[in-house]
Amino acid sequence: THQTLQARIDASRALPAKHYVLRRAPCQRAERKYVAAEEEAGLRAVRITGCSTEAHDSLVWHPETGYFAMAFGSTVVVEDLDTREQKLLLGHEEDISTLALDDAGALLASASGFADSTESADAWAPIFVWATSRRTIFCRLDYHHRGVQAMAWSPCSKYLLSVGN
């Protein structure tokens, strides 16, 4: 009903701003500190700023726990908004197309692949369900070809709806 919706909107406006603190860090010039040996080729991300703009629902946030995650390419970046510490969830081989966090904040679903993907018809677009407390894969779901456009959890967190090809 309209009154219930209005009550939920009013309640959301009353949320404390405890999960966001404006921090201004002075800019520092990048320094070259280490040159990797040839057998150590590759890069390791230390910090990621930004998110994927091609993905639908590429940011999730739980207002009670402060759990915050964003999609960046094929990586899910989980950030502690108090300490600014980041953890990377790895598992996808293609760019992440959408994220969904359950109402309890215990399960995070990430899906990869886009509808206009040119991958072969035999390729699957996996959905990974992560246990947020351990930052580990709870399960992998392979039901879509080419891509997943949107996902949503049921209120009881027992069912995950996914839309895609």
Side-chain angles (χ1 to χ4, degrees):
T1 67
H2 178 68
Q3 288 180 332
T4 305
L5 178 61
Q6 188 60 45
R8 291 178 90 187
I9 292 171
D10 292 341
S12 69
R13 288 184 184 144
L15 290 173
K18 68 178 184 177
H19 300 296
Y20 175 76
V21 177
L22 180 63
R23 294 180 178 90
R24 295 216 180 257
C27 295
Q28 296 178 353
R29 191 174 190 95
E31 296 179 24
R32 186 177 187 153
K33 294 187 177 201
Y34 176 74
V35 178
E38 191 169 323
E39 64 271 9
E40 296 177 0
L43 297 174
R44 185 177 69 88
V46 175
R47 182 157 194 71
I48 295 178
T49 303
C51 63
S52 173
T53 58
E54 292 183 25
H56 177 72
D57 292 331
S58 62
L59 296 169
V60 294
W61 174 66
H62 195 276
E64 293 172 15
T65 64
Y67 185 87
F68 178 78
M70 62 184 165
F72 189 85
S74 61
T75 304
V76 178
V77 180
V78 178
E79 184 167 333
D80 183 320
L81 296 178
D82 291 327
T83 65
R84 309 294 287 179
E85 180 183 352
Q86 292 181 339
K87 299 290 183 186
L88 307 180
L89 306 181
L90 306 171
H92 289 280
E93 294 177 8
E94 291 185 34
D95 285 356
I96 295 170
S97 58
T98 185
L99 298 174
L101 184 64
D102 74 333
D103 286 348
L107 297 172
L108 171 70
S110 60
S112 60
F114 292 88
D116 59 353
S117 176
T118 57
E119 294 294 319
S120 71
D122 296 333
W124 291 97
I127 297 172
F128 289 100
V129 178
W130 305 85
T132 59
S133 61
R134 295 182 312 237
R135 293 188 291 279
T136 58
I137 296 173
F138 178 72
C139 69
R140 177 184 168 143
L141 307 171
D142 289 308
Y143 294 107
H144 293 279
H145 288 284
R146 291 180 36 193
V148 179
Q149 281 76 48
M151 294 185 297
W153 287 97
S154 65
C156 66
S157 302
K158 188 175 179 181
Y159 304 103
L160 176 66
L161 171 71
S162 60
V163 178
N165 296 338

